[in-house]
């Protein structure tokens, strides 16, 4: 089967396009799937992570997945970020060092994810960001990574990929999984089998809400990320099954997608020129906590 | 010599990264029996390079499920946290207090909303 990839940007259309590819190939088993890039005029490199949710599921069903007709500039980008090694193609050196390459982590590999960030974010072409910004960004990525590890039940791991856009002073980082999705977790937890994907994302974003079982508090991670993104004037996108959520300092929108995204993908876009200190309650002392 | 027992988080979890619920549980499992026997503890975050809410929910937030606010306040201290990490811990503690005030209500506060519009 030949599948037209089309143009994939880090927006609602891009995620909907990936979800559409997933739907069209859902029933395939022991088949051949050719991902045809001939109509792809643009592919934002961080979107390799959500695209891999489709490939992971196809490969789990023993389909042979290949990539073809890559336009030269897209091939260059996807070789630089190591995505095409998944199709036995070589990598290209990332001379501008603006890439956080595509990588698959096991659910328990939080420490390796830390090593990955050390390797690709320190002293490379990724911009010199303030220490406070770097710390909040990393904390946000760990919160997302561990959310995926705790809740996704993904059997194929967690897929990550990032790209720095120097002209825009923006860094996008995407963490995706081919797991059961937020909707399924929230439906099970709330015992409400009718909750929609958008409402499930909204539920998960509410401070204090967590689908973690056991008598433990939780549900702060996404709220903290939103607080950070608001101050940073960045962007947060959460896609899970039919739900698409986008948050910026001045917008907050849920859109039901036309197609079913096979898992969950969280993209954080940060403004790398930010000089905020991120210490909101610096007057707090050790005695004020409990 | 101080009567307070020092709990070095990085030593217990064997890492400077406080990022997983499992490691948070290891720390909680050290603290809880000490508090049960009325011991005062100081939780040290010395050498910790990364701290997230998920870890703190389990390591410290969970204490409010076993002990009253007064007990935690009188028995537990922390050290070695920077200003923004103190802010994070404060958020976790406030969230935990709220959660354990009415855990069931907190969990089910979201009434059935939305309808089946998907496959």
């Amino acid at each position: 089967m030949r599948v037209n990839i089309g143009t994939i940007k880090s927006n609602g259309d891009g995620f909907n396009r990936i979800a559409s590819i997933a739907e069209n190939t859902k029933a395939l088993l022991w088949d051949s799937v050719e991902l045809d890039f001939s109509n792809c005029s643009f592919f934002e490199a961080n979107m390799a992570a959500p695209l891999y949710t489709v490939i992971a599921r196809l490969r789990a069903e023993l389909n042979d997945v290949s990539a073809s007709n890559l336009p030269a500039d897209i091939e260059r980008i996807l070789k630089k970020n190591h995505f095409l090694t998944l199709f036995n193609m070589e990598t290209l050196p990332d001379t501008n060092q603006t890439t956080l390459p595509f990588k698959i982590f096991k659910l328990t590999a939080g420490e390796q994810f830390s090593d990955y960030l050390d390797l690709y974010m320190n002293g490379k072409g990724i911009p010199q960001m303030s220490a406070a910004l770097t710390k909040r960004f990393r904390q946000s990525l760990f919160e997302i990574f561990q959310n995926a590890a705790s809740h996704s039940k993904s059997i194929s791991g967690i897929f990550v990929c990032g790209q720095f856009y120097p002209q825009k002073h923006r860094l996008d980082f995407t963490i995706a999984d081919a797991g059961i999705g937020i909707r399924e977790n929230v439906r099970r937890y709330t015992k409400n089998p009718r909750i929609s994907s958008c409402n499930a994302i909204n539920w998960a974003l509410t401070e204090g809400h967590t689908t973690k079982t056991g008598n433990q508090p939780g549900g702060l991670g996404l709220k903290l990320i939103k607080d950070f993104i608001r101050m940073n004037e960045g962007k947060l996108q959460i896609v899970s099954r039919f739900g698409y959520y986008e948050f910026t300092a001045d917008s907050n929108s849920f859109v039901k997608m036309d197609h079913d995204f096979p898992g969950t993908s969280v993209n954080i876009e940060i403004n790398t020129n930010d000089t905020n200190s991120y210490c909101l309650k610096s007057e707090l002392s050790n005695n004020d906590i409990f | 010599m101080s009567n307070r027992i020092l709990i070095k988080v990085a030593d217990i979890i064997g890492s400077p990264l406080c990022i997983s619920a499992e490691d948070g549980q290891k720390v909680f499992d050290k603290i809880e029996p000490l508090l049960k026997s009325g011991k005062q503890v100081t939780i040290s975050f010395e050498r910790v390079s990364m701290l997230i809410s998920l870890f703190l929910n389990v390591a410290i937030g969970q204490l409010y499920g076993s002990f009253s606010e007064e007990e935690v306040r009188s028995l537990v201290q922390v050290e070695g946290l920077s200003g923004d990490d103190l802010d994070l811990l404060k958020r976790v503690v406030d969230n935990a207090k709220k959660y354990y005030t009415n855990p069931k209500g907190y969990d089910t506060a979201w009434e059935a909303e939305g309808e089946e519009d998907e496959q």
Side-chain angles (χ1 to χ4, degrees):
Chain A
M1 181 179 185
R2 179 178 289 188
V3 178
N4 175 24
I5 292 291
T7 289
I8 307 275
K9 291 190 179 177
S10 190
N11 57 26
D13 286 345
F15 283 106
N16 209 23
R17 177 82 207 128
I18 291 172
S20 150
I21 296 167
E23 274 186 0
N24 292 338
T25 56
K26 198 174 178 179
L28 296 179
L29 182 67
W30 316 325
D31 211 326
S32 287
V33 182
E34 182 186 329
L35 303 178
D36 182 354
F37 283 78
S38 53
N39 291 323
C40 179
S41 59
F42 205 79
F43 191 103
E44 284 185 335
N46 56 293
M47 295 298 278
L51 179 60
Y52 192 72
T53 60
V54 182
I55 297 167
R57 290 203 169 190
L58 285 169
R59 288 186 167 167
E61 299 295 345
L62 305 179
N63 294 291
D64 179 34
V65 186
S66 59
S68 66
N69 301 320
L70 287 132
D73 51 345
I74 291 169
E75 182 170 325
R76 196 165 52 246
I77 290 165
L78 296 181
K79 280 184 171 173
K80 280 184 182 177
N81 84 350
H82 302 188
F83 185 65
L84 292 181
T85 60
L86 297 165
F87 305 100
N88 294 327
M89 293 188 220
E90 76 274 26
T91 58
L92 281 177
D94 180 19
T95 43
N96 297 326
Q97 296 188 313
T98 54
T99 289
L100 292 118
F102 176 85
K103 192 159 172 65
I104 302 170
F105 290 96
K106 290 188 174 15
L107 300 186
T108 52
E111 304 235 345
Q112 285 99 312
F113 180 55
S114 176
D115 293 341
Y116 165 95
L117 293 176
D118 284 343
L119 182 62
Y120 293 106
M121 281 195 62
N122 285 349
K124 301 224 171 183
I126 304 298
Q128 292 294 318
M129 304 190 296
S130 74
L133 173 58
T134 301
K135 185 173 174 184
R136 281 299 293 260
F137 180 52
R138 281 188 174 220
Q139 271 177 329
S140 300
L141 297 182
F142 280 116
E143 295 274 8
I144 296 165
F145 188 95
Q146 296 295 2
N147 261 349
S150 305
H151 301 304
S152 72
K153 300 184 174 59
S154 168
I155 52 168
S156 47
I158 298 170
F159 324 130
V160 309
C161 198
Q163 183 70 34
F164 174 49
Y165 300 96
Q167 310 300 329
K168 300 185 199 165
H169 307 290
R170 295 265 151 175
L171 174 60
D172 276 71
F173 197 90
T174 308
I175 298 177
D177 66 72
I180 60 174
I182 296 171
R183 185 187 76 177
E184 186 59 28
N185 273 310
V186 175
R187 282 181 177 184
R188 285 179 193 173
Y189 186 81
T190 60
K191 298 185 175 63
N192 173 6
R194 291 158 57 87
I195 196 163
S196 69
S197 296
C198 284
N199 280 336
I201 295 172
N202 198 7
W203 187 96
L205 285 163
T206 305
E207 184 161 346
H209 280 178
T210 175
T211 58
K212 197 163 48 178
T213 50
N215 188 25
Q216 287 175 348
L220 267 183
L222 289 170
K223 183 68 176 51
L224 293 165
I225 292 168
K226 281 176 67 175
D227 291 348
F228 163 53
I229 290 293
R230 186 182 293 113
M231 281 187 76
N232 172 260
E233 298 184 342
K235 184 161 75 180
L236 170 69
Q237 294 162 312
I238 302 175
V239 178
S240 190
R241 304 298 301 267
F242 286 92
Y244 175 81
Y245 172 70
E246 185 171 305
F247 173 82
T248 66
D250 42 33
S251 73
N252 188 54
S253 65
F254 291 91
V255 178
K256 180 180 179 262
M257 300 204 300
D258 298 331
H259 303 285
D260 188 2
F261 181 82
T264 300
S265 182
V266 180
N267 182 49
I268 285 193
E269 181 179 285
I270 59 163
N271 161 22
T272 56
N273 275 355
D274 181 8
T275 55
N276 278 312
S277 70
Y278 293 104
C279 197
L280 305 178
K281 295 178 185 163
S282 52
E283 72 276 14
L284 273 179
S285 82
N286 287 351
N287 299 322
D288 301 326
I289 302 300
F290 303 109
Chain B
M1 188 178 154
S2 163
N3 288 327
R4 300 194 75 88
I5 297 171
L6 187 64
I7 296 176
K8 294 184 178 180
V9 170
D11 286 358
I12 291 169
I13 65 172
S15 166
L17 303 172
C18 295
I19 56 175
S20 76
E22 290 71 25
D23 283 342
Q25 188 65 40
K26 286 181 196 165
V27 174
F28 175 81
D29 288 342
K30 292 288 178 197
I31 302 170
E32 191 195 30
L34 294 171
L35 299 194
K36 277 203 168 136
S37 60
K39 299 268 193 311
Q40 292 188 315
V41 302
T42 297
I43 306 167
S44 168
F45 288 89
E46 194 186 342
R47 289 200 300 116
V48 166
S49 61
M50 179 54 64
L51 189 61
I52 66 170
S53 71
L54 181 80
F55 174 92
L56 289 172
N57 282 329
V58 181
I60 296 180
Q62 201 181 180
L63 292 172
Y64 290 91
S66 307
F67 305 98
S68 69
E69 287 184 37
E70 292 69 30
E71 286 171 313
V72 176
R73 200 175 297 127
S74 67
L75 296 175
V76 181
Q77 282 185 4
V78 290
E79 65 178 32
L81 286 175
S82 62
D84 51 344
D85 285 336
L86 275 178
D87 179 38
L88 174 64
L89 178 58
K90 180 72 177 155
R91 293 278 295 263
V92 166
V93 163
D94 289 348
N95 186 55
K97 286 177 184 174
K98 212 159 108 186
Y99 174 81
Y100 287 113
T101 304
N102 183 12
K104 203 164 166 59
Y106 210 57
D107 285 347
T108 57
W110 189 271
E111 281 305 312
E113 189 184 310
E115 51 196 54
E116 177 61 79
D117 57 351
E118 297 166 6
Q119 294 161 11

